[in-house]
């Protein structure tokens, strides 16, 4: 019986700029079903944070309820974590972010946790442009309760029970776009080459970064009749240009022939290099992004890759004009400066 | 790269590094698991079938398996394979009822074995159950050969050796002990169906031309002869100051023996740097532990005598220089020569073969080094009924190599006696069986222990030095042994991939603790090796490549540091990975 992973790692395993090994970014051994797409996403998160040289203890991972929301246990074991109430990950993240804005926030949610019970919270955290990564592990079903169709299941898609879904699907990327997210991407758990640069870009992005990751549920929704199974998704992928993430300090190594790629600069000077393809459109145009999603859908395909990027320098803190220091580091005297200051304030309103 | 053909048994054989490295191909992980299950008799018999002398080898083997052990590539130290063999031997019960039945009706073939060492005894062990009549000749009064005369009792108790030698002799081997064979012609006249020569490499090197060699002769001894004399109790003492020349295992045995029978100031002197000494590291360590200093870069210049008696040796100081091609030369440093006082000198400078007793006109071809020409596969000489194995064949090796030779020679002899082609070698017996019991349940212990190699305890040095027959190593306690076995990575439990079942979910790639698995676009081997998740830099280890998958990629597994933990299989939703135990039993005579 083994739910145990050995402590041994490859003897030539490298360390990152902080001197940490990849192991320092791993978590406990997953107890999800064998072959679950969520585990691949966890591995992509581990790889991204490792390669981005982010200290694990400066990361906060939050989640709600569901298979997806179990995964923070399986990555970044040394980060802060909060496994909250179903659909309430956004408010917990908001609270934590209010208390300490210096940390890196990654919220993990599922299609049930976001598109059903947590829809309200999701809408508002996008609106507020909270500085966080919001990653949905989207398998189109309620895996933890035996695979009922979720709100992201496509019309006509049938899981293990064989009954086709009749209700319209919510497209979380379109919703995020509409609500004002500055970074919107979609990917597939089985395509780390695309997913890892997208997560890295989201880490660097200042403000709300949304990634919808299609992640097949091997147990309940990996049937030939499902539009969220491994085979269907692989056959119907249609990506915006392939992406390389280039950190600020690093030299550009990947040279695409002139005119075939474009650079997207992030606020800190790091870049996303996109190889152009037939979906070459202005990534900062919400309308074109919406259009492309729809056009590709009409072809019965799934648009993946970076869909929209427009950095809004004003995240929640900027919008509410909070102080520069993290609130949790303010002293009692700073938070509660006393009755004299209150009197002055009140006097100002007279 | 082409798809790996796992049906070719040599592919998985190579993955079991320890077994592959062992000359006799002992199924190491299999017996280690038997120990874990406290099935000591079974563990012993797996060894006995393969290497004939588990108790002896569990103490004295040169351990070619341990440097090969995969564990040594993921942490500092390999599994203590050799000492686990001893655990099996120490804890077994009476196994005589498991020994093969010897037919009372013989097959009418008569075989002579010349020399009673491990090679000859192995031939006897393999041929006796087939109904052969076997005559064994040895010049000593007990069989065992160098295992008896060269390995001191403080490393190998006589009782252990006797027991394992007697398992074979008690099969009904006709022994002709204390009979030195001095003529092959006379042996041929005895009309044997086949003769096996296992006479070892019995001549120790000398320094015949060194100044003072003749004058000091009384106090200069050839190491291997001297050890034999001590073993057979012809020599019982030595001077207080002893110099041992040479840096091999014989030198270590000489100095440690000298310490036990009167030597107080025993020193080892070697021509080369200490790092180049041939002795096994653990034997050097044991000698040092007994307070024996080693002097490196001292080249013997002269034996110094006073009044016709040895009083010391003169050495020239040298320095090793390495040419570009790696060849070493020892260059004098020009410092004044060093005189080291001594009462006796033991020379352990290497051994040579010697066949003065084989007449050169019998039809046995001899080569330029005056050694009989022996076929590397069949162990046959140009005189077809004469076979040679062990150190006698190609010079000094070790016990386990001699055993391997014995097995192969027995196959040849059996074929020869039945007029079959000796070149037609029987294939090994192999099985490949799934170990799956349930979702996370395996027939083997899949989790990998983090324990570091356990250290075998020794008896108190003072006590050890007081009696040359007290065994120095105590062996693992049962408790230690049962923990040490868990360090084994079960490399014989193979990861078998069925590409038609794979849905490319990447779960195996993600979970593999040592990043062995990569799904990637196929390419030439050298490019592929560099483009994997972790570069596959150990070129001695194979890449396991699948046929093309649906996405046009292939699965590539670098066998190098696979822990055989089974997680790839446990995380596979479709059973595309399975853990299957690959057992390889080397072919034996008559099967």
């Amino acid at each position: 019986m083994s739910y145990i992973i050995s402590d041994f790692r490859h003897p030539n395993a490298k360390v990152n700029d902080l001197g940490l090994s990849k192991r320092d970014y791993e978590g406990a051994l997953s107890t999800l079903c064998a072959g679950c797409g969520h585990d691949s996403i966890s591995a992509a998160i581990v790889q991204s944070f490792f390669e981005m040289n982010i200290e694990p203890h400066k990361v906060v991972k939050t989640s709600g309820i569901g298979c997806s929301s179990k995964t923070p246990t399986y990555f970044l074991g040394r980060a802060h974590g909060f496994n909250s109430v179903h659909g309430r990950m956004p408010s917990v993240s908001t609270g934590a972010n209010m208390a300490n804005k210096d940390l890196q926030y990654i919220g993990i949610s599922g299609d049930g946790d976001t598109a059903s019970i947590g829809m309200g919270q999701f809408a508002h955290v996008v609106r507020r442009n909270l500085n966080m990564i919001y990653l949905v592990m989207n398998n189109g079903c309620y895996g933890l309760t035996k695979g009922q169709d979720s709100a992201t299941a496509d019309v006509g898609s049938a899981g293990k029970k064989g009954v086709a879904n009749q209700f319209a699907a919510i497209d979380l990327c379109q919703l995020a776009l509409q609500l004002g997210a500055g970074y919107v991407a979609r990917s597939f758990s089985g395509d780390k080459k695309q997913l890892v640069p997208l997560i890295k870009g989201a880490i660097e992005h200042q403000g709300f970064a949304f990634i919808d990751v299609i992640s097949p549920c091997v147990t309940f929704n990996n049937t030939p009749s499902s539009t969220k199974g491994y085979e269907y998704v692989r056959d119907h992928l249609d990506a915006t240009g392939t992406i390389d993430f280039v950190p600020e300090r690093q030299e550009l190594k990947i040279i695409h022939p002139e005119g075939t790629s474009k650079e997207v600069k992030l606020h800190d000077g790091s870049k996303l290099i996109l190889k152009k393809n037939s979906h070459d459109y202005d990534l900062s145009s919400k309308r074109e992004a919406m259009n492309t999603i729809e056009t590709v859908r009409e072809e019965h395909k799934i648009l993946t890759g970076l869909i929209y990027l427009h950095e809004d320098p004003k995240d929640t803190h900027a919008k509410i004009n909070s102080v520069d220091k993290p609130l949790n580091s303010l002293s009692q005297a700073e938070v509660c400066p006393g009755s004299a200051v209150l009197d002055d304030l009140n006097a100002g309103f007279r | 790269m082409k798809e790996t053909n796992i049906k070719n048994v040599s592919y998985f054989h190579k993955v079991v590094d320890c077994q592959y490295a062992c000359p006799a191909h002992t199924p190491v992980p299999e017996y280690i698991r038997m120990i874990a299950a406290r099935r000591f008799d079974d563990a012993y018999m797996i060894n006995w079938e393969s290497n004939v002398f588990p108790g002896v080898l569990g103490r004295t083997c040169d351990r070619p398996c341990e440097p090969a052990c995969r564990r040594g590539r993921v942490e500092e130290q390999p599994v203590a394979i050799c000492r686990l063999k001893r655990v099996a031997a120490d804890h077994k019960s009476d196994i005589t009822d498991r020994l093969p039945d010897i037919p009372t009706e013989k097959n009418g073939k008569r075989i002579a074995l010349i020399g009673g060492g491990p090679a000859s005894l192995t031939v006897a062990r393999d041929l006796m159950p087939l109904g052969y009549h076997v005559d064994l000749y040895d010049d000593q009064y007990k069989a065992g050969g160098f295992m008896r005369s060269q390995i001191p009792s403080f490393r190998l108790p006589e009782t252990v050796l006797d027991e394992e030698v007697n398992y074979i002799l008690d099969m009904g081997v006709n022994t002709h002990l204390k009979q030195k064979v001095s003529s092959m012609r006379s042996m041929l006249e005895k009309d044997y169906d086949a003769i096996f020569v296992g006479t070892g490499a019995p001549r120790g090197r000398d320094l015949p031309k060194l100044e003072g060699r003749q004058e000091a002769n009384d106090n200069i001894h050839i190491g291997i002869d001297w050890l034999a004399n001590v073993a057979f109790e012809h020599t019982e003492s030595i001077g207080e100051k002893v110099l041992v020349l040479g840096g091999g295992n014989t030198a270590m045995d000489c100095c440690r023996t000298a310490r036990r029978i009167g030597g107080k100031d025993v020193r080892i002197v070697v021509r080369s740097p200490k790092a180049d000494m041939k002795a096994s590291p653990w034997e050097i360590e044991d000698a040092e532990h007994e307070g024996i200093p080693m002097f490196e870069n001292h080249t013997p210049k002269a034996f110094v005598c006073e009044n016709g008696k040895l009083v010391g040796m003169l050495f020239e100081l040298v320095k090793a220089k390495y040419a570009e091609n790696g060849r070493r030369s020892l260059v004098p440093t020009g410092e004044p020569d060093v005189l080291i006082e001594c009462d006796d000198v033991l020379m352990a400078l290497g051994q040579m073969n010697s066949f003065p007793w084989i007449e050169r006109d019998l039809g046995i071809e001899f080569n330029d080094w005056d050694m009989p020409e022996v076929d590397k596969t069949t162990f046959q000489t140009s005189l077809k009924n004469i076979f040679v194995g062990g150190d006698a064949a190609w010079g000094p090796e070790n016990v386990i190599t001699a055993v391997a030779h014995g097995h192969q020679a027995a196959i040849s002899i059996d074929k020869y006696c039945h007029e079959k082609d000796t070149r037609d070698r029987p294939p090994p017996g192999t099985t490949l069986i799934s170990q799956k019991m349930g979702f996370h349940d395996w027939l083997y212990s899949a989790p990998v222990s983090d324990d570091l190699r356990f250290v075998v305890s020794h008896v108190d040095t003072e006590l050890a030095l007081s009696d040359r027959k007290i065994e120095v190593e105590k062996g693992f306690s049962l408790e230690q042994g049962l923990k040490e076995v868990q360090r084994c990575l079960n490399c014989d439990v193979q990861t078998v991939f069925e590409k038609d079942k794979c849905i490319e979910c990447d779960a195996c790639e993600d979970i593999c603790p040592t990043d062995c698995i990569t799904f990637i676009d196929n390419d030439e081997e050298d490019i592929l090796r560099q483009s994997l998740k972790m570069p596959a830099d150990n070129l001695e280890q194979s890449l396991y490549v699948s046929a093309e998958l649906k996405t046009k990629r292939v699965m590539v597994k670098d066998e190098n540091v696979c822990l055989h933990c089974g997680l790839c299989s446990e995380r596979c939703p479709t059973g595309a990975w399975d853990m299957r135990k690959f057992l390889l039993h080397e072919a034996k005579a008559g099967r």
Side-chain angles (χ1 to χ4, degrees):
Chain A
M1 188 81 160
S2 71
Y3 280 106
I4 306 161
I5 189 163
S6 166
D7 282 342
F8 293 126
R9 292 296 178 271
H10 198 290
N12 298 340
K14 298 208 165 46
V15 293
N16 63 11
D17 293 353
L18 300 171
L20 298 175
S21 69
K22 212 166 177 182
R23 232 189 120 202
D24 298 317
Y25 291 81
E26 291 171 3
L29 188 59
S30 170
T31 57
L32 296 171
C33 305
C36 180
H38 297 5
D39 286 333
S40 291
I41 303 172
S42 298
I45 293 171
V46 167
Q47 189 184 337
S48 305
F49 279 83
F50 165 74
E51 289 175 2
M52 292 289 284
N53 302 302
I54 293 171
E55 290 164 283
H57 71 273
K58 294 208 171 147
V59 179
V60 181
K61 41 181 192 176
T62 51
S63 64
I65 296 295
C67 296
S68 63
S69 298
K70 289 176 72 177
T71 61
T73 310
Y74 314 138
F75 61 80
L76 298 175
R78 298 183 190 176
H80 309 273
F82 198 113
N83 191 187
S84 75
V85 186
H86 207 353
R88 272 57 185 162
M89 177 270 278
S91 53
V92 173
S93 306
T94 308
N97 195 313
M98 287 301 105
N100 189 351
K101 63 178 187 176
D102 284 354
L103 302 177
Q104 175 73 50
Y105 289 85
I106 177 164
I108 303 294
S109 186
D111 36 328
D113 199 57
T114 292
S116 294
I117 195 169
M119 182 64 113
Q121 296 228 341
F122 170 66
H124 294 288
V125 76
V126 184
R127 275 181 64 233
R128 291 180 188 131
N129 197 25
L130 189 70
N131 187 15
M132 73 177 295
I133 303 166
Y134 192 115
L135 191 149
V136 174
M137 299 182 175
N138 184 351
N139 58 17
C141 73
Y142 298 146
L144 211 56
T145 55
K146 301 206 169 175
Q148 298 84 351
D149 293 324
S150 78
T152 62
D154 292 311
V155 173
S157 174
K160 200 180 175 188
K161 290 219 174 73
V163 181
N165 171 45
Q166 299 301 323
F167 304 111
I170 294 173
D171 185 318
L172 291 170
C173 284
Q174 284 184 323
L175 201 57
L177 270 169
Q178 212 240 316
L179 292 164
Y183 183 104
V184 178
R186 178 149 37 218
S187 191
F188 170 46
S189 67
D191 186 1
K192 281 202 203 69
K193 259 191 204 157
Q194 183 191 56
L195 180 54
V196 170
L198 286 177
I199 296 174
K200 288 179 175 175
I203 291 171
E204 281 306 320
H205 176 75
Q206 193 68 33
F208 192 81
F210 179 74
I211 310 177
D212 175 28
V213 189
I214 299 168
S215 173
C217 172
V218 274
T219 305
F220 296 110
N221 206 10
N222 193 32
T223 55
S225 51
S226 161
T227 59
K228 288 202 168 50
Y230 280 109
E231 205 166 333
Y232 182 92
V233 176
R234 278 215 177 89
D235 288 348
H236 294 81
L237 283 182
D238 192 359
T240 63
T242 48
I243 297 177
D244 291 308
F245 177 83
V246 185
E248 183 196 354
R249 282 149 287 141
Q250 198 174 305
E251 286 287 301
L252 254 179
K253 267 192 217 144
I254 310 119
I255 311 281
H256 297 294
E258 189 129 0
T260 62
S261 68
K262 61 181 174 188
E263 281 183 22
V264 183
K265 271 204 176 148
L266 297 172
H267 74 282
D268 67 339
S270 54
K271 300 178 208 89
L272 285 168
I273 311 294
L274 273 97
K275 202 174 162 199
K276 288 183 190 173
N277 64 7
S278 57
H279 299 303
D280 181 31
Y281 62 88
D282 179 6
L283 279 177
S284 64
S285 161
K286 205 185 272 191
R287 192 178 50 195
E288 287 193 41
M290 282 283 195
N291 260 340
T292 313
I293 294 177
E294 277 308 323
T295 314
V296 172
R297 196 200 320 278
E298 278 165 16
E299 293 163 4
H300 299 286
K301 292 206 161 174
I302 306 158
L303 184 69
T304 61
L306 186 59
I307 294 173
Y308 176 73
L309 177 62
H310 181 78
E311 274 188 303
D312 175 359
K314 290 183 87 176
D315 72 349
T316 315
H317 280 280
K319 286 182 205 285
I320 65 172
N321 198 23
S322 65
V323 291
D324 281 345
K325 268 172 98 177
L327 298 185
N328 70 347
S329 65
L330 297 181
S331 64
Q332 175 77 14
E334 285 169 299
V335 178
C336 189
S339 52
V341 177
L342 184 63
D343 289 346
D344 278 356
L345 189 70
N346 283 336
F349 293 132
R350 288 223 169 87
Chain B
M1 280 181 80
K2 271 201 199 140
E3 181 187 359
T4 302
N5 177 16
I6 57 167
K7 292 211 169 83
N8 178 354
V9 294
S10 68
Y11 182 78
F12 282 146
H13 184 19
K14 207 163 161 248
V15 175
V16 196
D17 289 304
C18 47
Q19 186 179 11
Y20 192 71
C22 174
H25 301 317
T26 300
V28 175
E30 178 72 356
Y31 83 68
I32 288 183
R33 274 192 301 273
M34 293 296 173
I35 296 171
R38 296 174 183 248
R39 289 166 60 182
F40 304 113
D41 291 2
D42 291 320
Y44 184 84
M45 289 313 290
I46 290 169
N47 272 290
W48 189 81
E49 283 288 336
S50 166
N51 56 47
V52 192
F53 304 102
V56 173
L57 289 166
R59 292 168 166 86
T60 64
C61 191
D62 268 2
R63 316 178 191 176
C65 51
E66 291 190 16
C69 175
R70 174 163 285 120
R71 182 102 187 179
R73 299 202 290 274
V74 291
E75 63 141 316
E76 304 251 312
Q77 295 268 8
V79 176
I81 300 171
C82 179
R83 292 317 184 242
L84 287 177
K85 200 188 304 292
R86 177 173 169 184
V87 169
D90 285 356
H91 292 90
K92 70 172 192 312
S93 59
D94 182 7
I95 51 93
T96 44
D97 60 336
R98 293 179 175 224
L99 297 174
D101 292 330
I102 305 304
T104 43
E105 201 165 310
K106 299 290 171 187
N107 67 0
K109 307 285 182 189
R110 292 168 63 248
I111 312 294
L113 309 174
I114 306 176
S120 290
L121 288 168
T122 302
V123 175
R125 206 287 302 269
D126 285 0
L127 293 183
M128 285 305 294
L130 303 179
Y132 285 84
H133 172 95
V134 176
D135 282 346
L136 181 135
Y137 296 83
D138 196 277
D139 58 351
Q140 297 294 353
Y141 74 96
K142 269 181 164 183
F146 273 25
M147 294 189 290
R148 191 177 299 280
S149 62
Q150 302 305 306
I151 304 175
S153 332
F154 56 83
R155 287 213 290 132
L156 172 61
E158 206 175 357
T159 48
V160 175
L161 179 62
D162 284 346
E163 179 188 329
E164 292 185 339
V165 169
N166 287 340
Y167 286 151
I168 298 165
L169 299 185
D170 291 348
M171 289 175 173
V173 174
N174 200 9
T175 52
H176 302 262
L177 297 170
K178 292 186 93 172
Q179 285 193 31
K180 194 176 171 72
V181 173
S182 53
S183 159
M184 180 60 102
R185 191 187 305 281
S186 66
M187 287 301 290
L188 286 170
E189 281 162 7
K190 291 183 182 170
D191 230 11
Y192 285 106
D193 290 283
I195 295 174
F196 176 80
V197 178
T199 47
R203 214 172 82 205
R205 281 184 205 278
D206 199 344
L207 296 169
K209 288 177 186 155
L210 209 66
E211 189 188 321
R213 172 70 184 87
Q214 288 312 315
E215 199 181 349
N217 190 41
D218 287 351
N219 296 92
I220 298 174
H221 317 277
I222 302 288
I224 57 170
D225 298 340
W226 181 79
L227 282 173
N229 283 334
V230 174
F232 294 114
E233 300 184 341
H234 306 311
T235 296
E236 280 165 351
S237 67
I238 195 160
E240 282 192 6
K241 291 181 197 160
V242 182
L243 292 187
V244 177
L245 308 183
N249 286 340
T250 306
M252 301 305 129
D253 286 337
C254 281
C255 66
R256 294 177 70 194
T257 302
R259 279 290 271 134
R260 284 162 170 77
I261 60 168
K264 291 207 170 111
D265 175 3
V266 181
R267 303 172 182 204
I268 285 183
V269 189
V270 282
R271 294 168 62 216
S272 60
K274 202 176 149 190
D276 289 358
M277 278 167 65
K278 281 192 184 141
S280 309
W282 53 90
E283 299 209 11
I284 296 175
E285 210 175 281
D286 287 347
E288 284 177 331
H289 188 68
E290 290 175 3
I292 294 158
M294 296 178 195
F295 295 83
E296 59 179 355
N297 299 324
H298 282 53
T299 299
K301 207 168 177 188
F303 295 99
V304 181
C305 295
E306 266 174 29
N307 305 323
K309 194 184 169 302
L310 180 75
V311 293
M313 266 192 89
L314 203 60
F315 294 94
E316 183 176 50
L317 294 178
V318 294
K319 205 165 66 183
K321 277 201 173 154
Y322 298 89
E324 266 176 31
N325 60 7
R327 271 191 72 151
R328 187 191 75 190
S329 51
L330 298 172
V331 189
T333 61
E335 292 165 80
D337 292 343
V338 175
L339 176 78
I340 304 180
E341 286 179 30
C342 65
D343 301 319
D344 282 283
V345 171
L346 298 171
M347 289 191 287
L349 302 165
Q351 290 154 237
M352 291 175 296
N353 293 64
S354 164
F355 298 99
W357 56 280
I358 299 184
E359 294 81 355
R360 299 301 193 256
D361 59 352
L362 298 171
I364 303 173
E365 260 177 53
F366 274 71
N367 60 24
D368 295 347
W369 299 274
D370 207 27
M371 297 269 283
E373 200 61 46
V374 182
D375 186 283
K376 292 258 181 201
T377 311
T378 64
F379 295 81
Q380 209 164 11
T381 65
S382 54
L383 193 60
K384 294 301 174 195
N385 58 342
I386 309 270
F387 299 81
V388 185
D391 288 358
W394 299 287
E397 285 283 350
N398 48 39
V399 178
I400 189 69
T401 305
V403 169
H405 288 181
H407 285 313
Q408 293 303 319
I411 291 172
S412 298
I413 292 170
D414 185 46
K415 282 189 177 281
Y416 174 77
C417 289
H418 290 88
E419 287 164 16
K420 288 181 190 155
D421 183 6
T422 52
R423 298 224 135 262
D424 177 23
R425 308 306 288 181
T430 58
T431 51
L432 186 66
I433 296 168
S434 175
Q435 301 297 290
K436 201 168 184 71
M437 297 253 286
F439 221 62
H440 296 263
D441 253 342
W442 300 103
L443 278 166
Y444 73 107
S445 165
V448 176
S449 154
D450 293 335
D451 285 336
L452 297 177
R453 183 176 168 125
F454 289 85
V455 179
V456 179
S457 56
H458 288 194
V459 297
D460 178 63
T461 309
E462 208 170 309
L463 178 68
L465 293 177
S466 68
D467 181 349
R468 72 171 179 91
K469 290 193 173 174
I470 291 179
E471 188 173 15
V472 173
E473 274 195 24
K474 288 179 177 168
F476 280 135
S477 67
L478 187 56
E479 195 191 355
Q480 282 176 318
L482 290 173
K483 281 187 182 162
E484 181 68 25
V485 289
Q486 296 301 336
R487 295 182 69 239
C488 174
L489 297 178
N490 299 290
C491 296
D492 60 343
V493 181
Q494 305 285 351
T495 54
V496 179
F497 182 73
E498 282 178 53
K499 74 123 195 159
D500 290 338
K501 289 186 180 168
C502 178
I503 58 168
E504 299 181 65
C505 66
D506 298 353
C508 50
E509 185 175 334
D510 292 334
I511 195 70
C512 178
T514 43
D515 293 332
C516 301
I517 302 168
T518 312
F519 287 80
I520 191 171
D521 292 329
N522 205 349
D523 216 319
E524 299 293 322
E525 177 165 355
D526 44 344
I527 300 171
L528 212 46
R529 277 185 177 272
Q530 289 312 308
S531 9
L532 299 179
K533 221 172 154 189
M534 285 303 299
D537 292 329
N538 187 344
L539 299 181
E540 283 172 15
Q541 293 283 321
S542 319
L543 295 185
Y544 180 1
V545 183
S546 78
E548 200 172 86
L549 297 157
K550 271 193 187 143
T551 58
K552 308 285 175 204
R553 297 181 301 172
V554 288
M555 184 289 301
V556 182
K557 182 194 164 209
D558 178 11
E559 298 284 6
N560 186 23
V561 289
C562 170
L563 303 173
H564 299 259
C565 63
L567 282 177
C568 49
S569 183
E570 286 184 24
R571 298 306 297 168
C572 179
T574 59
W577 285 106
D578 192 17
M579 305 303 291
R580 295 189 193 155
K581 184 166 83 180
F582 173 79
L583 264 187
L584 179 141
H585 290 289
E586 198 59 277
K588 286 226 185 65
R591 283 194 211 150

